[in-house]
Structures are given as C-alpha cells and as structure tokens.
Amino acid sequence: MPLVEISYSRDALGEKQLDALADRLSAIALAAEGLPDTPTSRPLAVVTTRAWDGVHVGGRPSGEPRIDVVLHTLPGVLDEPARAAVLAELTSAVVEEVDGMDARGGARVWCRVHETLPSGFSVAGRVMSPPLVRQLAGCADVDGRGR
C-alpha cells in the first residue's frame, strides 16, 4: 500500500527532480513496509504531488522553498525505531535529490509518518492489511505465510 504525498513550494523543484524524488521515495516506502522493490511490487507504491503557491512560516511568507513528505503506512508496520529511521531516510532523500534543500541541515524539509487506523485504507472497496499488501506484492499468501 505504500502511499507517499509530496507537497512543495512551486519553485522548490523541477519536473526531473520531482520524478527522481518520487522514484527514490517509492523505494523507501516499499522497504519501510517490508516489501521488495520489484516489478510486481512497484505499482503498489503511489506518490502524489501537490505544489503550493506560497508558504508562510510564523505568519509571514517564508521566502525559501519548503518540502513536506508524508508516508502513509498500515497499522503496526513500523515500530518507534523504524519510524525514526524512515524519517531520517526520507529527509536524506529530499536533501540529496533537491537542489538547495541541504541549507541549514535540511530544516526546510518536513517529513511525517502517518499510520492509518485499522481498516482505515481500502483499494476498490477492499480493506488493505499488511498480509494482503504482501500478497499483492507477490511475497506472501493472504494469511501472512511466506511462499
């Protein structure tokens, strides 16, 4: 189910940078959910993008580009140390892929992990669960047992 949302100041990145970032964040999202990065699982990783016309920080126009990344995961997929590691990896990916984001140690890069509620995410009306996502990725039966 890996779902990543990238929101960014319109002037923060160009189309090629956005494509490279989406590709890299897809790989991170798959790994975070314990899924292989294969032709079967890649279509499960969805990245949406939204450009902001403006960003205000402290009530004033920021004057600097900003990027916000949200990784949506299913319940129980990441424990506390894994969340911290994924947040660091997401931040590093943005800093490395987007020109100028390394200024001030990546302070203009915001990353969040959002864990959905149990039974809180569906595709085509089918509630997603970690075992089902693993099955769709071709790495386990729906009951969670490996092949």
Side-chain angles (χ1 to χ4, degrees):
M1 164 221 136
L3 173 62
V4 180
E5 297 176 50
I6 307 170
S7 301
Y8 57 96
S9 303
R10 195 169 299 284
D11 59 345
L13 62 163
E15 190 174 334
K16 286 183 181 179
Q17 283 183 321
L18 184 58
D19 290 346
L21 182 60
D23 183 66
R24 189 152 169 203
L25 296 181
S26 293
I28 293 168
L30 287 166
E33 293 209 9
L35 302 173
D37 190 348
T38 65
T40 302
S41 63
R42 257 300 164 143
L44 299 177
V46 175
V47 177
T48 63
T49 62
R50 178 179 47 168
W52 297 319
D53 289 324
V55 177
H56 289 69
V57 176
R60 300 180 191 271
S62 73
E64 298 178 311
R66 308 267 173 171
I67 296 179
D68 178 47
V69 176
V70 181
L71 170 63
H72 296 271
T73 65
L74 293 172
V77 171
L78 299 174
D79 60 15
E80 191 81 20
R83 273 192 300 277
V86 167
L87 288 168
E89 194 172 359
L90 293 169
T91 301
S92 292
V94 174
V95 167
E96 292 167 13
E97 294 291 340
V98 182
D99 295 337
M101 283 296 126
D102 58 347
R104 296 189 286 127
R108 292 178 286 141
V109 179
W110 305 323
C111 296
R112 299 175 279 148
V113 172
H114 178 258
E115 187 175 279
T116 62
L117 296 172
S119 303
F121 182 80
S122 71
V123 175
R126 191 170 181 190
V127 174
M128 294 291 109
S129 66
L132 178 56
V133 172
R134 290 188 55 73
Q135 178 194 33
L136 294 172
C139 51
D141 297 324
V142 75
D143 65 3
R145 293 179 299 184
R147 291 185 180 199

